[in-house]
Amino acid sequence: KDFTTITAAVNSITDSSANKIYNIIIDDGTYEERDITLPDYVNIIGASGDNEKCIIQGYLPANTPPGQISPSSTFNISKNNEFHNITITCQNMRYPVHSESNGNNKNWTQIINNCYIWHKGNQEAIDYQQTQLNPQTVWSSYHAWGEGSSSGAYLKATNSTFRSEKNAFYTHAADSISKPYVHVLENCHLLGDVYIDDTTSPINGNTLLINNCDIQGRISILGTNKYNMIISGSGIHPIYQKPERVLDERDFPIFTDYLKRIKCTQAVTKGQFVYSDDGMKTV
């Protein structure tokens, strides 16, 4: 009970480091706060363990000038930070969590566990601008997780939900990357698209591992270098290439002699998704 707001608790910390990590423990309740910038090695943790009861709610009124909307997020992080057992939302803002290291902060670790991260959209502000004599453009790339990644970055999200009408999970790579980043999404609900913008990365090997996730959207990767993606478990969806094109022969599986030896319980047509439910015995 040291502080009444998250902002006050964060502002009190001036000496966090790898050898002095701070956990801000938050009681259940709804906290209407935004533009919280976490120092390095400062973590946000819901005390009860129930993310539905601990809500950090970022909001700007619909009549907020668009120039103030685009830089405003509920949380801003850039280095080593963790979120546990909380819900983070925003509306008429940039992101619930804006992870932006600008390519300068390298080898960071960010952990998200048992969280619900939801961008409620900017339609209110868009509609308001349409009523004005000289309507301004409102920030339209409202993602649930918005990140600018850098060299050696490691992110792991488990048992969490990312929700947005735009992208549930969005990452773009810095042009200064010299060591691949690795992101892991495990046992998560991705309510929206997954979009990886790797166009500015000068290296191969940036990696996204998706394991046992429910993906209610599409996966897109933009870039020319080799990008590593492994999708396993349930919730497997097709990966779309940008710019979009009509599917052709290269999009369908090649049935080798080895694969033909697998026993199928029903006829499989070309291009149909299949799964193995008993090792390699049946498909």
Side-chain angles (χ1 to χ4, degrees), residues 87-137:
T87 290
I88 307 170
T89 72
C90 78
Q91 188 172 2
N92 302 324
M93 296 169 60
R94 192 182 186 97
Y95 307 135
V97 180
H98 188 190
S99 172
E100 179 57 75
S101 52
N102 291 311
N104 299 319
N105 304 321
K106 302 176 181 180
N107 301 309
W108 50 251
T109 296
Q110 295 174 0
I111 303 295
I112 305 99
N113 179 55
N114 188 35
C115 291
Y116 197 108
I117 301 177
W118 181 15
H119 200 311
K120 296 185 177 181
N122 291 346
Q123 195 60 46
E124 263 190 4
I126 293 170
D127 291 343
Y128 172 81
Q129 285 298 320
Q130 294 306 310
T131 68
Q132 301 306 294
L133 184 61
N134 296 304
Q136 300 179 52
T137 301

Side-chain angles (χ1 to χ4, degrees), residues 10 17 22 45 49 52-53 61 71 82 89 113 117 138 157 159 188 195 197-198 210 212 214 223 247 249 260 272:
V10 169
S17 69
Y22 283 82
I45 301 176
E52 294 183 0
K53 295 180 179 179
E82 299 187 16
T89 72
N113 179 55
I117 301 177
V138 176
N159 306 309
C188 289
Y195 193 98
D197 187 349
D198 212 45
I210 299 178
N212 201 38
D214 167 32
L247 297 179
E249 290 294 327
K260 289 175 183 176
Q272 177 183 340

Side-chain angles (χ1 to χ4, degrees), residues 232-280:
S232 59
S234 62
I236 297 175
H237 287 251
I239 299 173
Y240 290 83
Q241 187 181 53
K242 295 286 185 177
E244 294 180 2
R245 56 180 171 73
V246 177
L247 297 179
D248 57 30
E249 290 294 327
R250 60 187 146 165
D251 296 291
F252 300 124
I254 298 173
F255 293 101
T256 64
D257 289 339
Y258 174 75
L259 289 174
K260 289 175 183 176
R261 292 199 299 270
I262 299 174
K263 177 183 177 183
C264 295
T265 57
Q266 62 184 37
V268 179
T269 60
K270 189 173 184 180
Q272 177 183 340
F273 283 100
V274 298
Y275 68 94
S276 170
D277 63 357
D278 184 22
M280 294 297 289

